[in-house]
């Protein structure tokens, strides 16, 4: 009996730890897709070293958002839309609609990103690249074996992406003194850019993806809250470091005098920076990573968005759920083909749109943490985190207000 009990505890520990690691990886990879790469590269080209402050502020906002949302979801042991409906009847439906729309735009942007990857790899026309990528995303999702293969390959490609970014940053030798100075004391601040990159890393479905994964795996309740908090912190740290390293890499290319295209239909600022630093081989390799990130992010955005359908219909069968996800991707592909917008414009817009949606959910979750003891139980919510949550709510609402028009202009220009 002792051996059996010990083995059971060991297996439970391993499964519990794996759910934490999986949640970190899900959040980090969701936040490091084509939008992450394109937004960071484009705004570094546009704003120069001053964009470092935007990255710093976005990391701080990301930290507060994830810490609050992950805690509330795992403590209440309910999905985000269900929590919202309890707090304010009907608000869960609004939150679900906004997240689904945001995830839909993410899917459109990710298909655009995948098409940019194929364009870099083979010079394929962007619309045909979108057709190939969207169709392949549906086929991969529909095949269990293909999905498992994709999951394993994305771990390798994700590590390759990180290695490529670090290598390029080392090659171009960015002006560290200027970057650090502007990160702390910028010459100017572009709040529309900050709204966009916050939305691209923690807006829309992304801030709920990891929390819902923990919920599905049973890593919930006060006994797991410290692990959940550490997982949220690690995910934000990984994304934050990589965003800043990518910023340094592109900044090094910009100050060297290289010209990076942002306006043409085939513009791919991140890939151009890699071509400048690592040559044609680096450019092609980055195209592969960019395409794979677009495919996986398209599937991830569709999958997580469709989980919010349950607020409207609780008993969705696995078969119907799969059909919904496939239709979701197909509609995103159709709209990508119809829209007369550059892939770069789309990828930046989707981040901005989800940045506008973010404060709605954050306000609901901050309210739960502060006032709803019937949902939170006897858990003593950290006062410092609650205060930061309230301040972040106010900041994100204000940023959304001043950035609204600019965000929608991204559909036609940068």
């Amino acid at each position: 009996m002792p051996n059996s009990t010990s083995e059971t505890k060991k297996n439970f520990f391993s499964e519990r730890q794996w759910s934490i690691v999986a949640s970190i990886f899900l959040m980090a990879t969701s936040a490091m897709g084509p939008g992450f790469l394109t937004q960071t590269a484009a705004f570094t080209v546009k704003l120069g070293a001053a964009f470092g402050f935007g990255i710093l502020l976005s990391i701080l906002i990301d930290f507060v958002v994830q810490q609050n949302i992950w805690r509330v979801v795992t403590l209440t042991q309910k999905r985000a839309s269900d929590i919202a409906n309890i707090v304010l009847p009907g608000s869960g439906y609004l939150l679900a609609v906004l997240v689904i729309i945001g995830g839909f735009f993410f899917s459109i942007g990710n298909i655009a990103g995948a098409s940019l990857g194929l364009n870099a790899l083979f010079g394929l026309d962007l619309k045909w690249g979108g057709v190939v990528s969207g169709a392949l995303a549906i086929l991969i999702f529909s095949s269990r074996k293909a999905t498992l293969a994709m999951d394993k390959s994305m771990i390798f490609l994700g590590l390759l992406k990180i290695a490529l970014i670090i290598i390029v940053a080392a090659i171009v030798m960015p002006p560290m003194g200027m970057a650090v100075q502007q990160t702390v004391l910028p010459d100017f601040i572009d709040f529309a850019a900050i709204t966009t990159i916050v939305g691209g890393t923690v807006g829309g479905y992304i801030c709920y993806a990891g929390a819902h994964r923990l919920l599905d795996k049973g890593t919930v309740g006060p006994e797991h809250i410290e692990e959940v908090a550490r997982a949220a912190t690690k995910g934000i740290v990984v994304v934050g470091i990589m965003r800043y390293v990518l910023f340094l890499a592109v900044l090094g290319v910009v100050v060297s005098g290289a010209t990076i295209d942002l306006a043409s239909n085939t513009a791919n600022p991140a890939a151009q920076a890699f071509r400048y630093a690592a040559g044609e081989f680096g450019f092609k390799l980055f195209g592969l990573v960019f395409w794979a990130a677009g495919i996986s992010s398209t599937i991830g955005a569709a999958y997580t968005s469709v989980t919010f359908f349950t607020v409207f219909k609780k008993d969705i069968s696995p078969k119907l759920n799969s059909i919904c996800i496939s239709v979701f991707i197909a509609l995103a592909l159709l709209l990508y083909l119809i829209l007369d917008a550059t892939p770069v414009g789309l990828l930046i817009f989707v981040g901005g749109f989800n940045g506008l949606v973010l404060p709605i959910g954050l306000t609901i979750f901050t309210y739960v943490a502060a006032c709803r003891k019937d949902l939170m139980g006897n858990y003593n919510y950290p006062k410092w985190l609650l205060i930061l949550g309230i301040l972040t709510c106010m900041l994100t609402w204000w940023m959304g207000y001043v950035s609204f028009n600019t965000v929608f202009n991204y559909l036609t220009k940068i």
Side-chain angles (χ1 to χ4, degrees):
M1 287 295 292
N3 290 337
S4 176
T5 303
S6 176
E7 185 176 347
T8 300
K9 288 182 177 179
K10 183 178 179 181
N11 290 337
F12 171 75
F13 177 81
S14 298
E15 184 177 347
R16 181 162 51 85
Q17 289 298 312
W18 175 246
S19 70
I20 293 287
V21 172
S23 298
I24 294 172
F25 191 78
L26 178 61
M27 183 186 76
T29 52
S30 296
M32 291 172 65
F36 162 86
L37 298 165
T38 301
Q39 292 157 17
T40 303
F43 284 124
T44 303
V45 172
K46 184 181 177 184
L47 305 176
F51 184 54
F53 174 79
I55 292 176
L56 175 62
L57 186 56
S58 73
I59 293 170
L60 296 176
I61 292 173
D62 291 357
F63 172 78
V64 175
V65 170
Q66 292 288 34
Q67 286 288 350
N68 277 287
I69 289 178
W70 282 35
R71 282 174 187 263
V72 172
V73 168
T74 54
L75 284 168
T76 59
Q77 304 181 36
K78 301 179 185 298
R79 291 190 178 276
S81 51
D82 294 328
I83 296 171
N85 269 337
I86 294 172
V87 171
L88 181 63
S91 65
Y93 302 115
L94 174 63
L95 180 63
V97 167
L98 290 173
V99 170
I100 290 167
I101 292 173
F104 185 68
F105 281 125
F106 260 123
S107 294
I108 296 171
N110 289 326
I111 290 172
S115 71
L116 281 176
L118 288 181
N119 180 263
L121 269 173
F122 307 114
L124 189 63
D125 176 79
L126 291 175
K127 294 299 184 182
W128 279 111
V131 171
V132 171
S133 300
L136 189 59
I138 294 173
L139 288 174
I140 289 173
F141 171 75
S142 302
S143 169
R144 177 174 172 77
K145 289 184 178 180
T147 302
L148 292 173
M150 188 70 176
D151 288 342
K152 292 178 180 178
S153 65
M154 281 312 301
I155 295 174
F156 168 75
L157 289 169
L159 293 173
L160 177 60
K161 175 168 53 180
I162 292 171
L164 281 171
I165 293 172
I166 293 172
I167 290 170
V168 169
I171 290 173
V172 298
M173 296 295 290
M176 294 298 298
M178 179 196 300
V180 172
Q181 179 186 354
Q182 290 291 313
T183 298
V184 180
L185 297 171
D187 290 337
F188 56 90
I189 302 173
D190 187 332
F191 282 106
I194 298 172
T195 299
T196 299
I197 60 172
V198 168
T201 51
V202 77
Y205 80 93
I206 296 175
C207 59
Y208 306 109
H212 283 184
R213 177 64 178 264
L214 290 172
L215 191 63
D216 292 339
K217 292 296 183 180
T219 311
V220 295
E223 64 272 23
H224 294 139
I225 197 64
E226 293 306 318
E227 288 176 290
V228 169
R230 284 195 297 269
T233 300
K234 289 173 182 176
I236 290 299
V237 167
V238 169
V239 173
I241 290 174
M242 293 317 303
R243 183 175 290 279
Y244 200 80
V245 173
L246 178 61
F247 155 71
L248 291 175
V250 180
L251 181 64
V253 173
V254 171
V255 299
S256 71
T259 300
I260 295 182
D261 174 28
L262 295 178
S264 72
N265 287 336
T266 57
N268 191 343
Q272 291 171 63
F274 277 71
R275 170 181 267 167
Y276 177 86
E280 196 65 22
F281 176 75
F283 177 71
K284 297 294 185 183
L285 195 58
F286 184 78
L288 172 63
V289 171
F290 205 82
W291 172 75
I295 292 288
S296 64
S297 296
T298 298
I299 296 171
Y303 179 85
T304 306
S305 298
V306 169
T307 63
F308 279 81
F309 284 12
T310 56
V311 74
F312 303 104
K313 181 177 173 57
K314 297 294 183 184
D315 55 341
I316 296 179
S317 66
K319 183 178 180 179
L320 179 59
N321 188 68
S322 296
I323 293 173
C324 287
I325 292 171
S326 297
V327 171
F328 195 91
I329 297 172
L331 289 175
L333 171 59
L334 179 62
L335 197 56
Y336 166 69
L337 296 174
I338 293 173
L339 282 175
D340 184 22
T342 66
V344 170
L346 279 171
L347 285 166
I348 294 178
F349 166 74
V350 297
F353 179 86
N354 283 282
L356 298 177
V357 171
L358 175 64
I360 298 173
L362 182 58
T363 300
I364 293 170
F365 279 78
T366 304
Y367 170 77
V368 171
C371 306
R372 295 300 297 256
K373 296 299 181 184
D374 58 325
L375 291 173
M376 301 297 286
N378 296 323
Y379 178 70
N380 187 21
Y381 207 88
K383 291 291 188 291
W384 64 270
L385 184 57
L386 183 59
I387 292 170
L388 287 178
I390 294 170
L391 293 175
T392 302
C393 274
M394 296 169 62
L395 176 61
T396 52
W397 276 111
W398 182 79
M399 289 197 312
Y401 171 75
V402 300
S403 305
F404 189 87
N405 289 334
T406 304
V407 165
F408 281 91
N409 285 337
Y410 288 146
L411 278 173
T412 56
K413 63 181 181 178
I414 293 177

